[in-house]
Amino acid sequence: MMITLAEYLGRRLTQAGVGHLFGVPGDFNLTLLDHLTTVPGLRWVGSPNELGAGYAADAYARARGLSVIVSTYGVGELSCINAIAGSAAEDVPVVHVVGAPATAAVVGRRKVHHTLADGVFDRFEMAYAQVTVHQESVIAERATEQVDAVLLAAMTHRKPAYLSIPQDLATLLVDPAPLDRPLTPAMPTFPVSLSDRFAAASRPVIVVGHLVARFGLGEAVLAAARQANIPFVTTLAAKGVIDESEPLFRGTYAGTMVDTGAFEQVAGADLVIELGVVHSDVLSGFFTHRQPDDQVIQVGAELLPAAVRALGELSARHRFASVAAAPAACVPAAVVDPHEPLTQDGLWATVQDWLPSGTAVLADTGTSFWGAASLRLPDDTVMVGQPIWNSIGYALPAVLGQGLADPGRRPILFIGDGAAQMTVQELSTIAAHGLTPIIVLLNNRGYTIERALQSPDAGYNDVASWDWSYLASALTGDKVEYRAARTAAELRHSLEVAASATDSLVLIEAELGRYDVPPLLRVLAERNEVLKG
């Protein structure tokens, strides 16, 4: 029995654990959506715009291992390309499915809408070739093969991929036989022998990068570390991948910038195993990390599953002697007057004291991320941020994706007012789908991270003042509870109320100084100034 190509795609997605379709409808994808949304197990999640849908799909894929966003040709895919570029930078397997003009229009070079009216139809796919690991524009003769190639590439490399389906081919009848063979990424053999390295080492350390989370290997890495008694550190991008209460945990590693103990652990090791680590400027503490040498093993995406498997096998046969932990993090605990005006130090100290376990902490670029980065996360807590791509506004739509992908965890979002103004319309989608996050809006009347980096009094760092209480009600109706916090005491009370209000979305507006920043952002600003000089 033949099935439509749309159904074939939908069944492939459900096989891979995808249960939601993010996106925005448009005339070129309507036939595709008519059939794709009838596939059992797939639920449509429409967003106000493609950028927010892309951010939501990114967070969903981080939790589920794969996601899909569906847009229309041209205007829709270009609206989403910033989100897809972020997924590429952060190693997130998002499949962007584009509903394209009909085959006859392309062959005839017709001047149709959503194009530049010049008969050229491949320029947007070429743009996506810069930010996706694989691209396919479907033709009838290879349709199912092309679908499989795109999905498998995203799953293998943990990068976004691009699939363009012409209007007329969405209902193409295809043979469903390949569906009997689920798509499974190949498992190569790890080419590096660890046995000799283990035998020569006495002070090893594992550096856990964000790709460990993307491949769902956190538990396997922890098991290997425990068996061989190897301490580990996590990068800023991998914060929360392994519980920070674990006795072998030695801190957050970003060169000399975040945690002196973690830096000394890596600097003094005679075997450094870097698993899925990216040393960008921010993640490396502006390149103060340990440089590669003959005692450093670096493992990227292609070999990560095989390397973790090899590490586990070797750890079962080898155990290292315990080494005393280096001193703890460099950021001291703040002394807070609960009744004085709220400061960044007071906000994060209050959050640290309150933060429950079993949640998903989402922190947007800026003061929110650099404040959350200093938190000691409770057990069973995941953290979602975007420290490589750093696109402000990402984290609010990410609440939608995270919440739908992992409904057992309540999302807790920290976001600045400038960032929230970018994507706040997604609050309506969050409420419409029954999610009840706690949102802490850091209102410092502008882009304070930019003020910290340069020209603090420049007018371009200011944003218009919004009434967040009325706005939240306008976007969600009666599904939101709004609270204001101007002191640490008010913030603590608001957080406690929010924790008990599990059946509603809670927005806490925290009023902060225009120039006040958390300690780690001060360090970041200082290093940025040195680099500019």
Side-chain angles (χ1 to χ4, degrees), residues 59 63 240 354-363 377-385 395 398-399 401-414 437-439:
W354 164 83
L355 189 63
S357 61
T359 66
V361 173
L362 298 99
L377 296 179
D379 287 353
D380 190 29
T381 300
V382 301
M383 181 167 168
V384 179
V399 167
Q402 168 65 38
L404 292 175
D406 190 5
R409 295 182 188 278
R410 191 178 190 185
I412 302 174
L413 169 65
F414 299 97
I438 298 171
I439 299 174

PDB file of all heavy atoms in Angstrom, residues 59 63 240 354-363 377-385 395 398-399 401-414 437-439:
ATOM      1  N   ALA A  59      15.207  24.341  21.330  1.00  0.00           N
ATOM      2  CA  ALA A  59      15.144  23.829  22.701  1.00  0.00           C
ATOM      3  C   ALA A  59      14.520  22.440  22.749  1.00  0.00           C
ATOM      4  O   ALA A  59      14.929  21.586  23.545  1.00  0.00           O
ATOM      5  CB  ALA A  59      14.357  24.794  23.586  1.00  0.00           C
ATOM      6  N   ALA A  63      16.274  18.611  24.121  1.00  0.00           N
ATOM      7  CA  ALA A  63      15.693  17.663  25.076  1.00  0.00           C
ATOM      8  C   ALA A  63      15.335  16.327  24.449  1.00  0.00           C
ATOM      9  O   ALA A  63      15.451  15.280  25.095  1.00  0.00           O
ATOM     10  CB  ALA A  63      14.445  18.280  25.728  1.00  0.00           C
ATOM     11  N   GLY A 240      24.858  21.617  34.060  1.00  0.00           N
ATOM     12  CA  GLY A 240      23.653  20.860  34.357  1.00  0.00           C
ATOM     13  C   GLY A 240      23.575  19.509  33.674  1.00  0.00           C
ATOM     14  O   GLY A 240      22.652  18.743  33.946  1.00  0.00           O
ATOM     15  N   TRP A 354      16.641  29.670  46.836  1.00  0.00           N
ATOM     16  CA  TRP A 354      15.279  29.177  46.592  1.00  0.00           C
ATOM     17  C   TRP A 354      15.210  28.048  45.577  1.00  0.00           C
ATOM     18  O   TRP A 354      14.344  27.165  45.674  1.00  0.00           O
ATOM     19  CB  TRP A 354      14.410  30.340  46.086  1.00  0.00           C
ATOM     20  CG  TRP A 354      13.126  29.898  45.444  1.00  0.00           C
ATOM     21  CD1 TRP A 354      11.952  29.571  46.070  1.00  0.00           C
ATOM     22  CD2 TRP A 354      12.889  29.715  44.039  1.00  0.00           C
ATOM     23  NE1 TRP A 354      11.000  29.200  45.143  1.00  0.00           N
ATOM     24  CE2 TRP A 354      11.549  29.282  43.896  1.00  0.00           C
ATOM     25  CE3 TRP A 354      13.674  29.871  42.901  1.00  0.00           C
ATOM     26  CZ2 TRP A 354      10.991  29.000  42.655  1.00  0.00           C
ATOM     27  CZ3 TRP A 354      13.121  29.599  41.656  1.00  0.00           C
ATOM     28  CH2 TRP A 354      11.795  29.175  41.535  1.00  0.00           C
ATOM     29  N   LEU A 355      16.073  28.013  44.590  1.00  0.00           N
ATOM     30  CA  LEU A 355      15.910  27.188  43.396  1.00  0.00           C
ATOM     31  C   LEU A 355      15.640  25.723  43.730  1.00  0.00           C
ATOM     32  O   LEU A 355      16.459  25.051  44.353  1.00  0.00           O
ATOM     33  CB  LEU A 355      17.165  27.300  42.530  1.00  0.00           C
ATOM     34  CG  LEU A 355      17.108  26.669  41.133  1.00  0.00           C
ATOM     35  CD1 LEU A 355      16.047  27.355  40.288  1.00  0.00           C
ATOM     36  CD2 LEU A 355      18.467  26.767  40.461  1.00  0.00           C
ATOM     37  N   PRO A 356      14.499  25.172  43.294  1.00  0.00           N
ATOM     38  CA  PRO A 356      14.181  23.771  43.571  1.00  0.00           C
ATOM     39  C   PRO A 356      14.848  22.844  42.565  1.00  0.00           C
ATOM     40  O   PRO A 356      15.292  23.264  41.498  1.00  0.00           O
ATOM     41  CB  PRO A 356      12.657  23.728  43.430  1.00  0.00           C
ATOM     42  CG  PRO A 356      12.349  24.800  42.427  1.00  0.00           C
ATOM     43  CD  PRO A 356      13.382  25.876  42.644  1.00  0.00           C
ATOM     44  N   SER A 357      14.907  21.575  42.889  1.00  0.00           N
ATOM     45  CA  SER A 357      15.454  20.582  41.963  1.00  0.00           C
ATOM     46  C   SER A 357      14.374  20.144  40.977  1.00  0.00           C
ATOM     47  O   SER A 357      13.192  20.439  41.151  1.00  0.00           O
ATOM     48  CB  SER A 357      15.971  19.372  42.740  1.00  0.00           C
ATOM     49  OG  SER A 357      14.920  18.758  43.457  1.00  0.00           O
ATOM     50  N   GLY A 358      14.808  19.435  39.940  1.00  0.00           N
ATOM     51  CA  GLY A 358      13.869  18.864  38.992  1.00  0.00           C
ATOM     52  C   GLY A 358      13.262  19.842  38.019  1.00  0.00           C
ATOM     53  O   GLY A 358      12.214  19.558  37.428  1.00  0.00           O
ATOM     54  N   THR A 359      13.910  20.995  37.818  1.00  0.00           N
ATOM     55  CA  THR A 359      13.377  21.995  36.906  1.00  0.00           C
ATOM     56  C   THR A 359      14.285  22.145  35.687  1.00  0.00           C
ATOM     57  O   THR A 359      15.338  21.518  35.596  1.00  0.00           O
ATOM     58  CB  THR A 359      13.243  23.363  37.596  1.00  0.00           C
ATOM     59  OG1 THR A 359      14.555  23.854  37.914  1.00  0.00           O
ATOM     60  CG2 THR A 359      12.415  23.257  38.865  1.00  0.00           C
ATOM     61  N   ALA A 360      13.872  23.002  34.761  1.00  0.00           N
ATOM     62  CA  ALA A 360      14.700  23.397  33.632  1.00  0.00           C
ATOM     63  C   ALA A 360      14.947  24.893  33.743  1.00  0.00           C
ATOM     64  O   ALA A 360      14.003  25.685  33.680  1.00  0.00           O
ATOM     65  CB  ALA A 360      14.025  23.072  32.310  1.00  0.00           C
ATOM     66  N   VAL A 361      16.188  25.280  33.957  1.00  0.00           N
ATOM     67  CA  VAL A 361      16.553  26.690  34.063  1.00  0.00           C
ATOM     68  C   VAL A 361      16.943  27.186  32.677  1.00  0.00           C
ATOM     69  O   VAL A 361      17.858  26.651  32.053  1.00  0.00           O
ATOM     70  CB  VAL A 361      17.720  26.882  35.052  1.00  0.00           C
ATOM     71  CG1 VAL A 361      18.219  28.326  35.021  1.00  0.00           C
ATOM     72  CG2 VAL A 361      17.292  26.497  36.460  1.00  0.00           C
ATOM     73  N   LEU A 362      16.256  28.204  32.198  1.00  0.00           N
ATOM     74  CA  LEU A 362      16.570  28.817  30.909  1.00  0.00           C
ATOM     75  C   LEU A 362      17.046  30.240  31.158  1.00  0.00           C
ATOM     76  O   LEU A 362      16.382  30.997  31.876  1.00  0.00           O
ATOM     77  CB  LEU A 362      15.360  28.812  29.984  1.00  0.00           C
ATOM     78  CG  LEU A 362      14.819  27.418  29.622  1.00  0.00           C
ATOM     79  CD1 LEU A 362      13.612  27.065  30.498  1.00  0.00           C
ATOM     80  CD2 LEU A 362      14.456  27.318  28.153  1.00  0.00           C
ATOM     81  N   ALA A 363      18.182  30.589  30.597  1.00  0.00           N
ATOM     82  CA  ALA A 363      18.766  31.908  30.835  1.00  0.00           C
ATOM     83  C   ALA A 363      19.131  32.559  29.520  1.00  0.00           C
ATOM     84  O   ALA A 363      19.887  31.991  28.735  1.00  0.00           O
ATOM     85  CB  ALA A 363      19.998  31.781  31.732  1.00  0.00           C
ATOM     86  N   LEU A 377      23.694  24.476  40.634  1.00  0.00           N
ATOM     87  CA  LEU A 377      22.401  23.898  40.279  1.00  0.00           C
ATOM     88  C   LEU A 377      22.035  22.743  41.196  1.00  0.00           C
ATOM     89  O   LEU A 377      22.866  21.879  41.477  1.00  0.00           O
ATOM     90  CB  LEU A 377      22.414  23.412  38.834  1.00  0.00           C
ATOM     91  CG  LEU A 377      22.601  24.484  37.749  1.00  0.00           C
ATOM     92  CD1 LEU A 377      22.606  23.827  36.378  1.00  0.00           C
ATOM     93  CD2 LEU A 377      21.504  25.542  37.823  1.00  0.00           C
ATOM     94  N   PRO A 378      20.783  22.685  41.646  1.00  0.00           N
ATOM     95  CA  PRO A 378      20.329  21.515  42.412  1.00  0.00           C
ATOM     96  C   PRO A 378      20.353  20.266  41.549  1.00  0.00           C
ATOM     97  O   PRO A 378      20.410  20.336  40.318  1.00  0.00           O
ATOM     98  CB  PRO A 378      18.888  21.892  42.809  1.00  0.00           C
ATOM     99  CG  PRO A 378      18.773  23.355  42.579  1.00  0.00           C
ATOM    100  CD  PRO A 378      19.731  23.690  41.480  1.00  0.00           C
ATOM    101  N   ASP A 379      20.281  19.110  42.185  1.00  0.00           N
ATOM    102  CA  ASP A 379      20.269  17.855  41.445  1.00  0.00           C
ATOM    103  C   ASP A 379      19.074  17.799  40.486  1.00  0.00           C
ATOM    104  O   ASP A 379      18.030  18.411  40.729  1.00  0.00           O
ATOM    105  CB  ASP A 379      20.199  16.669  42.413  1.00  0.00           C
ATOM    106  CG  ASP A 379      21.515  16.450  43.144  1.00  0.00           C
ATOM    107  OD1 ASP A 379      22.506  17.124  42.806  1.00  0.00           O
ATOM    108  OD2 ASP A 379      21.541  15.617  44.069  1.00  0.00           O
ATOM    109  N   ASP A 380      19.257  17.036  39.419  1.00  0.00           N
ATOM    110  CA  ASP A 380      18.210  16.807  38.436  1.00  0.00           C
ATOM    111  C   ASP A 380      17.680  18.130  37.870  1.00  0.00           C
ATOM    112  O   ASP A 380      16.479  18.330  37.730  1.00  0.00           O
ATOM    113  CB  ASP A 380      17.060  15.995  39.058  1.00  0.00           C
ATOM    114  CG  ASP A 380      16.049  15.520  38.019  1.00  0.00           C
ATOM    115  OD1 ASP A 380      16.446  15.305  36.858  1.00  0.00           O
ATOM    116  OD2 ASP A 380      14.854  15.395  38.374  1.00  0.00           O
ATOM    117  N   THR A 381      18.601  19.022  37.556  1.00  0.00           N
ATOM    118  CA  THR A 381      18.235  20.313  36.971  1.00  0.00           C
ATOM    119  C   THR A 381      18.991  20.480  35.662  1.00  0.00           C
ATOM    120  O   THR A 381      20.204  20.306  35.616  1.00  0.00           O
ATOM    121  CB  THR A 381      18.597  21.472  37.920  1.00  0.00           C
ATOM    122  OG1 THR A 381      17.894  21.312  39.155  1.00  0.00           O
ATOM    123  CG2 THR A 381      18.225  22.823  37.302  1.00  0.00           C
ATOM    124  N   VAL A 382      18.266  20.793  34.606  1.00  0.00           N
ATOM    125  CA  VAL A 382      18.927  21.065  33.338  1.00  0.00           C
ATOM    126  C   VAL A 382      18.987  22.567  33.121  1.00  0.00           C
ATOM    127  O   VAL A 382      18.161  23.320  33.641  1.00  0.00           O
ATOM    128  CB  VAL A 382      18.206  20.385  32.153  1.00  0.00           C
ATOM    129  CG1 VAL A 382      18.154  18.881  32.337  1.00  0.00           C
ATOM    130  CG2 VAL A 382      16.797  20.933  31.984  1.00  0.00           C
ATOM    131  N   MET A 383      19.980  23.006  32.357  1.00  0.00           N
ATOM    132  CA  MET A 383      20.115  24.431  32.055  1.00  0.00           C
ATOM    133  C   MET A 383      20.186  24.610  30.549  1.00  0.00           C
ATOM    134  O   MET A 383      20.905  23.893  29.863  1.00  0.00           O
ATOM    135  CB  MET A 383      21.355  25.017  32.714  1.00  0.00           C
ATOM    136  CG  MET A 383      21.526  26.508  32.462  1.00  0.00           C
ATOM    137  SD  MET A 383      22.772  27.249  33.535  1.00  0.00           S
ATOM    138  CE  MET A 383      22.962  28.853  32.735  1.00  0.00           C
ATOM    139  N   VAL A 384      19.427  25.561  30.049  1.00  0.00           N
ATOM    140  CA  VAL A 384      19.369  25.848  28.623  1.00  0.00           C
ATOM    141  C   VAL A 384      19.807  27.296  28.401  1.00  0.00           C
ATOM    142  O   VAL A 384      19.223  28.224  28.974  1.00  0.00           O
ATOM    143  CB  VAL A 384      17.954  25.644  28.054  1.00  0.00           C
ATOM    144  CG1 VAL A 384      17.917  25.968  26.568  1.00  0.00           C
ATOM    145  CG2 VAL A 384      17.473  24.219  28.310  1.00  0.00           C
ATOM    146  N   GLY A 385      20.844  27.470  27.606  1.00  0.00           N
ATOM    147  CA  GLY A 385      21.322  28.796  27.230  1.00  0.00           C
ATOM    148  C   GLY A 385      21.910  28.730  25.832  1.00  0.00           C
ATOM    149  O   GLY A 385      21.907  27.686  25.183  1.00  0.00           O
ATOM    150  N   ALA A 395      15.716  32.675  24.662  1.00  0.00           N
ATOM    151  CA  ALA A 395      15.280  31.811  25.760  1.00  0.00           C
ATOM    152  C   ALA A 395      13.778  31.820  25.997  1.00  0.00           C
ATOM    153  O   ALA A 395      13.233  30.848  26.527  1.00  0.00           O
ATOM    154  CB  ALA A 395      16.012  32.182  27.050  1.00  0.00           C
ATOM    155  N   ALA A 398      12.337  29.404  23.721  1.00  0.00           N
ATOM    156  CA  ALA A 398      12.905  28.122  24.122  1.00  0.00           C
ATOM    157  C   ALA A 398      12.100  27.482  25.248  1.00  0.00           C
ATOM    158  O   ALA A 398      12.075  26.251  25.377  1.00  0.00           O
ATOM    159  CB  ALA A 398      14.363  28.296  24.550  1.00  0.00           C
ATOM    160  N   VAL A 399      11.433  28.291  26.056  1.00  0.00           N
ATOM    161  CA  VAL A 399      10.553  27.749  27.100  1.00  0.00           C
ATOM    162  C   VAL A 399       9.478  26.870  26.472  1.00  0.00           C
ATOM    163  O   VAL A 399       9.128  25.810  27.008  1.00  0.00           O
ATOM    164  CB  VAL A 399       9.910  28.903  27.909  1.00  0.00           C
ATOM    165  CG1 VAL A 399       8.759  28.387  28.772  1.00  0.00           C
ATOM    166  CG2 VAL A 399      10.956  29.588  28.782  1.00  0.00           C
ATOM    167  N   GLY A 401       9.615  25.144  23.585  1.00  0.00           N
ATOM    168  CA  GLY A 401      10.176  23.875  23.142  1.00  0.00           C
ATOM    169  C   GLY A 401      10.570  22.973  24.287  1.00  0.00           C
ATOM    170  O   GLY A 401      10.275  21.766  24.285  1.00  0.00           O
ATOM    171  N   GLN A 402      11.239  23.533  25.294  1.00  0.00           N
ATOM    172  CA  GLN A 402      11.658  22.743  26.452  1.00  0.00           C
ATOM    173  C   GLN A 402      10.449  22.188  27.196  1.00  0.00           C
ATOM    174  O   GLN A 402      10.422  21.014  27.593  1.00  0.00           O
ATOM    175  CB  GLN A 402      12.501  23.609  27.387  1.00  0.00           C
ATOM    176  CG  GLN A 402      12.762  23.021  28.767  1.00  0.00           C
ATOM    177  CD  GLN A 402      13.587  21.762  28.745  1.00  0.00           C
ATOM    178  OE1 GLN A 402      14.508  21.645  27.954  1.00  0.00           O
ATOM    179  NE2 GLN A 402      13.284  20.821  29.615  1.00  0.00           N
ATOM    180  N   GLY A 403       9.444  23.022  27.386  1.00  0.00           N
ATOM    181  CA  GLY A 403       8.266  22.587  28.139  1.00  0.00           C
ATOM    182  C   GLY A 403       7.496  21.476  27.455  1.00  0.00           C
ATOM    183  O   GLY A 403       6.995  20.553  28.111  1.00  0.00           O
ATOM    184  N   LEU A 404       7.381  21.542  26.125  1.00  0.00           N
ATOM    185  CA  LEU A 404       6.673  20.495  25.396  1.00  0.00           C
ATOM    186  C   LEU A 404       7.492  19.219  25.282  1.00  0.00           C
ATOM    187  O   LEU A 404       6.952  18.111  25.313  1.00  0.00           O
ATOM    188  CB  LEU A 404       6.301  20.992  24.000  1.00  0.00           C
ATOM    189  CG  LEU A 404       5.245  22.104  23.944  1.00  0.00           C
ATOM    190  CD1 LEU A 404       5.064  22.595  22.514  1.00  0.00           C
ATOM    191  CD2 LEU A 404       3.915  21.647  24.526  1.00  0.00           C
ATOM    192  N   ALA A 405       8.816  19.366  25.168  1.00  0.00           N
ATOM    193  CA  ALA A 405       9.677  18.192  25.026  1.00  0.00           C
ATOM    194  C   ALA A 405       9.824  17.425  26.320  1.00  0.00           C
ATOM    195  O   ALA A 405       9.982  16.201  26.313  1.00  0.00           O
ATOM    196  CB  ALA A 405      11.052  18.618  24.517  1.00  0.00           C
ATOM    197  N   ASP A 406       9.781  18.123  27.440  1.00  0.00           N
ATOM    198  CA  ASP A 406      10.058  17.509  28.746  1.00  0.00           C
ATOM    199  C   ASP A 406       9.048  18.024  29.761  1.00  0.00           C
ATOM    200  O   ASP A 406       9.385  18.809  30.650  1.00  0.00           O
ATOM    201  CB  ASP A 406      11.496  17.865  29.162  1.00  0.00           C
ATOM    202  CG  ASP A 406      11.972  17.085  30.372  1.00  0.00           C
ATOM    203  OD1 ASP A 406      11.227  16.203  30.845  1.00  0.00           O
ATOM    204  OD2 ASP A 406      13.082  17.368  30.853  1.00  0.00           O
ATOM    205  N   PRO A 407       7.785  17.601  29.635  1.00  0.00           N
ATOM    206  CA  PRO A 407       6.717  18.191  30.450  1.00  0.00           C
ATOM    207  C   PRO A 407       6.845  17.923  31.943  1.00  0.00           C
ATOM    208  O   PRO A 407       6.162  18.566  32.743  1.00  0.00           O
ATOM    209  CB  PRO A 407       5.446  17.558  29.873  1.00  0.00           C
ATOM    210  CG  PRO A 407       5.905  16.302  29.209  1.00  0.00           C
ATOM    211  CD  PRO A 407       7.274  16.590  28.688  1.00  0.00           C
ATOM    212  N   GLY A 408       7.697  16.998  32.334  1.00  0.00           N
ATOM    213  CA  GLY A 408       7.879  16.728  33.756  1.00  0.00           C
ATOM    214  C   GLY A 408       8.692  17.775  34.494  1.00  0.00           C
ATOM    215  O   GLY A 408       8.741  17.773  35.731  1.00  0.00           O
ATOM    216  N   ARG A 409       9.341  18.660  33.759  1.00  0.00           N
ATOM    217  CA  ARG A 409      10.150  19.719  34.377  1.00  0.00           C
ATOM    218  C   ARG A 409       9.473  21.073  34.181  1.00  0.00           C
ATOM    219  O   ARG A 409       9.174  21.466  33.057  1.00  0.00           O
ATOM    220  CB  ARG A 409      11.534  19.795  33.735  1.00  0.00           C
ATOM    221  CG  ARG A 409      12.399  18.590  33.935  1.00  0.00           C
ATOM    222  CD  ARG A 409      13.754  18.821  33.280  1.00  0.00           C
ATOM    223  NE  ARG A 409      14.545  17.619  33.302  1.00  0.00           N
ATOM    224  CZ  ARG A 409      15.264  17.217  34.346  1.00  0.00           C
ATOM    225  NH1 ARG A 409      15.288  17.981  35.435  1.00  0.00           N
ATOM    226  NH2 ARG A 409      15.940  16.109  34.317  1.00  0.00           N
ATOM    227  N   ARG A 410       9.310  21.790  35.239  1.00  0.00           N
ATOM    228  CA  ARG A 410       8.758  23.134  35.099  1.00  0.00           C
ATOM    229  C   ARG A 410       9.862  24.088  34.638  1.00  0.00           C
ATOM    230  O   ARG A 410      10.919  24.168  35.259  1.00  0.00           O
ATOM    231  CB  ARG A 410       8.178  23.625  36.414  1.00  0.00           C
ATOM    232  CG  ARG A 410       7.343  24.900  36.259  1.00  0.00           C
ATOM    233  CD  ARG A 410       6.728  25.340  37.573  1.00  0.00           C
ATOM    234  NE  ARG A 410       5.751  26.399  37.355  1.00  0.00           N
ATOM    235  CZ  ARG A 410       5.130  27.046  38.332  1.00  0.00           C
ATOM    236  NH1 ARG A 410       5.391  26.727  39.612  1.00  0.00           N
ATOM    237  NH2 ARG A 410       4.262  28.007  38.056  1.00  0.00           N
ATOM    238  N   PRO A 411       9.658  24.816  33.559  1.00  0.00           N
ATOM    239  CA  PRO A 411      10.676  25.768  33.121  1.00  0.00           C
ATOM    240  C   PRO A 411      10.727  26.987  34.035  1.00  0.00           C
ATOM    241  O   PRO A 411       9.687  27.510  34.469  1.00  0.00           O
ATOM    242  CB  PRO A 411      10.217  26.165  31.710  1.00  0.00           C
ATOM    243  CG  PRO A 411       9.225  25.120  31.301  1.00  0.00           C
ATOM    244  CD  PRO A 411       8.568  24.692  32.576  1.00  0.00           C
ATOM    245  N   ILE A 412      11.946  27.430  34.323  1.00  0.00           N
ATOM    246  CA  ILE A 412      12.176  28.672  35.059  1.00  0.00           C
ATOM    247  C   ILE A 412      13.050  29.549  34.180  1.00  0.00           C
ATOM    248  O   ILE A 412      14.211  29.217  33.911  1.00  0.00           O
ATOM    249  CB  ILE A 412      12.851  28.414  36.419  1.00  0.00           C
ATOM    250  CG1 ILE A 412      11.999  27.472  37.272  1.00  0.00           C
ATOM    251  CG2 ILE A 412      13.084  29.733  37.162  1.00  0.00           C
ATOM    252  CD1 ILE A 412      12.658  27.059  38.575  1.00  0.00           C
ATOM    253  N   LEU A 413      12.488  30.644  33.696  1.00  0.00           N
ATOM    254  CA  LEU A 413      13.173  31.502  32.734  1.00  0.00           C
ATOM    255  C   LEU A 413      13.688  32.774  33.393  1.00  0.00           C
ATOM    256  O   LEU A 413      12.962  33.440  34.136  1.00  0.00           O
ATOM    257  CB  LEU A 413      12.202  31.882  31.605  1.00  0.00           C
ATOM    258  CG  LEU A 413      12.660  32.974  30.635  1.00  0.00           C
ATOM    259  CD1 LEU A 413      13.875  32.528  29.836  1.00  0.00           C
ATOM    260  CD2 LEU A 413      11.519  33.393  29.711  1.00  0.00           C
ATOM    261  N   PHE A 414      14.941  33.106  33.088  1.00  0.00           N
ATOM    262  CA  PHE A 414      15.518  34.392  33.475  1.00  0.00           C
ATOM    263  C   PHE A 414      15.828  35.141  32.184  1.00  0.00           C
ATOM    264  O   PHE A 414      16.589  34.653  31.344  1.00  0.00           O
ATOM    265  CB  PHE A 414      16.789  34.192  34.303  1.00  0.00           C
ATOM    266  CG  PHE A 414      16.560  33.446  35.583  1.00  0.00           C
ATOM    267  CD1 PHE A 414      16.797  32.075  35.656  1.00  0.00           C
ATOM    268  CD2 PHE A 414      16.083  34.099  36.706  1.00  0.00           C
ATOM    269  CE1 PHE A 414      16.576  31.376  36.825  1.00  0.00           C
ATOM    270  CE2 PHE A 414      15.852  33.400  37.886  1.00  0.00           C
ATOM    271  CZ  PHE A 414      16.101  32.041  37.953  1.00  0.00           C
ATOM    272  N   PRO A 437       5.346  28.080  33.098  1.00  0.00           N
ATOM    273  CA  PRO A 437       6.683  28.409  33.568  1.00  0.00           C
ATOM    274  C   PRO A 437       6.673  29.534  34.599  1.00  0.00           C
ATOM    275  O   PRO A 437       5.695  30.283  34.726  1.00  0.00           O
ATOM    276  CB  PRO A 437       7.387  28.868  32.292  1.00  0.00           C
ATOM    277  CG  PRO A 437       6.290  29.450  31.467  1.00  0.00           C
ATOM    278  CD  PRO A 437       5.101  28.561  31.733  1.00  0.00           C
ATOM    279  N   ILE A 438       7.777  29.640  35.306  1.00  0.00           N
ATOM    280  CA  ILE A 438       8.052  30.812  36.136  1.00  0.00           C
ATOM    281  C   ILE A 438       9.017  31.690  35.339  1.00  0.00           C
ATOM    282  O   ILE A 438      10.087  31.238  34.951  1.00  0.00           O
ATOM    283  CB  ILE A 438       8.672  30.418  37.485  1.00  0.00           C
ATOM    284  CG1 ILE A 438       7.709  29.539  38.277  1.00  0.00           C
ATOM    285  CG2 ILE A 438       9.058  31.659  38.296  1.00  0.00           C
ATOM    286  CD1 ILE A 438       8.329  28.927  39.538  1.00  0.00           C
ATOM    287  N   ILE A 439       8.630  32.925  35.092  1.00  0.00           N
ATOM    288  CA  ILE A 439       9.455  33.839  34.308  1.00  0.00           C
ATOM    289  C   ILE A 439       9.909  34.987  35.194  1.00  0.00           C
ATOM    290  O   ILE A 439       9.074  35.720  35.747  1.00  0.00           O
ATOM    291  CB  ILE A 439       8.687  34.384  33.091  1.00  0.00           C
ATOM    292  CG1 ILE A 439       8.272  33.223  32.174  1.00  0.00           C
ATOM    293  CG2 ILE A 439       9.523  35.407  32.334  1.00  0.00           C
ATOM    294  CD1 ILE A 439       7.390  33.657  31.012  1.00  0.00           C
TER     295      ILE A 439
END
